Amino acid sequence: MSNGRPAGRKDDVQEVPMGAVVLYKSMSLDGYVAGPDVGAEHPMGRGGTRLHDWMFTDRPDPRDEEVLATMTASVGAVVVGRRTFDVGLPHWQDTPYPAPTFVLTHRTRDELVMKSATFTFVTTGVEAALKAARNAAGDKDVIVIGAGTGRRFLRAGLLDELLINLVPVVLGSGIRLLEDLAHIELTRTQVIASDEVTHLRFRVVK
């Protein structure tokens, strides 16, 4: 039976809400997200684990715990670079979050089923990886992991937000997140500060 409205009208189609595409990184005051000599022995580079001390302390600040819990609960899917996958997997022993994880790579590989979720290897670029991640995430966020992968998303205009955990340390060398990029405008949407770290959230102006 007809409902009295012409078929195919735009208001007959309901848009499915999507979460944000978020780059989530801990960063030193001098802009490094990992120390030098990143590899299997030092997945965060030499001295880079200092950037994550606030997460793994025996007496976490409730403000930091809340930021971490809120971010973790928002994750619907993850996109990660191949280098980060290679050095991170022996330490994670699982997907980095309990969500489908898509690995940007030039080398094909079968899906890798882990305890919490599955790694899927995408060889057709960032847009294809993001499309697959969005489909998997539903209305939750897609989290981007890795400095190089984050820059690729920024250059392609695919990133919605940055969540930077600014740690009061100067690493002096290593891998910078925000380098070799064109002009990008950001709007700060949140500041939460504890004694150990300042959590800064920005929306990318498009």
Side-chain angles (χ1 to χ4, degrees):
M1 181 181 293
S2 171
N3 59 12
R5 290 182 297 174
R9 281 180 52 174
K10 289 183 69 176
D11 58 0
D12 290 341
V13 180
Q14 293 185 347
E15 291 188 5
V16 178
M18 292 189 297
V21 182
V22 183
L23 176 59
Y24 177 78
K25 296 297 291 184
S26 291
M27 181 189 292
S28 68
L29 287 180
D30 50 345
Y32 293 101
V33 293
D37 303 320
V38 170
E41 185 177 356
H42 302 283
M44 284 291 296
R46 296 184 184 277
T49 56
R50 169 66 181 88
L51 299 176
H52 290 169
D53 283 353
W54 65 274
M55 297 184 194
F56 302 113
T57 177
D58 293 334
R59 300 179 65 183
D61 188 295
R63 292 165 291 189
D64 299 334
E65 285 188 302
E66 183 177 358
V67 168
L68 192 58
T70 299
M71 194 284 301
T72 301
S74 75
V75 179
V78 177
V79 178
V80 62
R82 181 61 186 255
R83 186 187 189 195
T84 301
F85 165 80
D86 286 340
V87 301
L89 184 61
H91 299 269
W92 300 330
Q93 295 293 307
D94 200 353
T95 49
Y97 295 93
T101 301
F102 299 86
V103 183
L104 275 169
T105 180
H106 296 295
R107 292 169 282 162
T108 58
R109 176 172 172 172
D110 292 338
E111 288 187 343
L112 179 60
V113 180
M114 306 300 291
K115 179 178 66 176
S116 299
T118 297
F119 286 104
T120 301
F121 298 83
V122 181
T123 60
T124 47
V126 294
E127 292 189 5
L130 177 57
K131 181 178 180 181
R134 279 199 184 280
N135 288 339
D139 61 355
K140 287 193 165 186
D141 292 346
V142 174
I143 300 299
V144 178
I145 298 179
T149 302
R151 287 194 295 271
R152 290 178 69 181
F153 270 74
L154 278 168
R155 291 190 188 104
L158 299 176
L159 204 69
D160 297 317
E161 294 182 277
L162 283 80
L163 178 53
I164 302 297
N165 307 300
L166 193 62
V167 180
V169 63
V170 174
L171 290 184
S173 63
I175 297 175
R176 291 185 187 273
L177 177 63
L178 304 174
E179 66 176 3
D180 300 324
L181 294 168
H183 183 95
I184 299 172
E185 289 286 343
L186 305 170
T187 299
R188 193 187 69 199
T189 58
Q190 187 181 62
V191 179
I192 299 174
S194 71
D195 293 338
E196 299 297 325
V197 58
T198 301
H199 308 282
L200 302 167
R201 193 162 192 135
F202 300 92
R203 185 178 69 250
V204 179
V205 178
K206 300 182 179 180

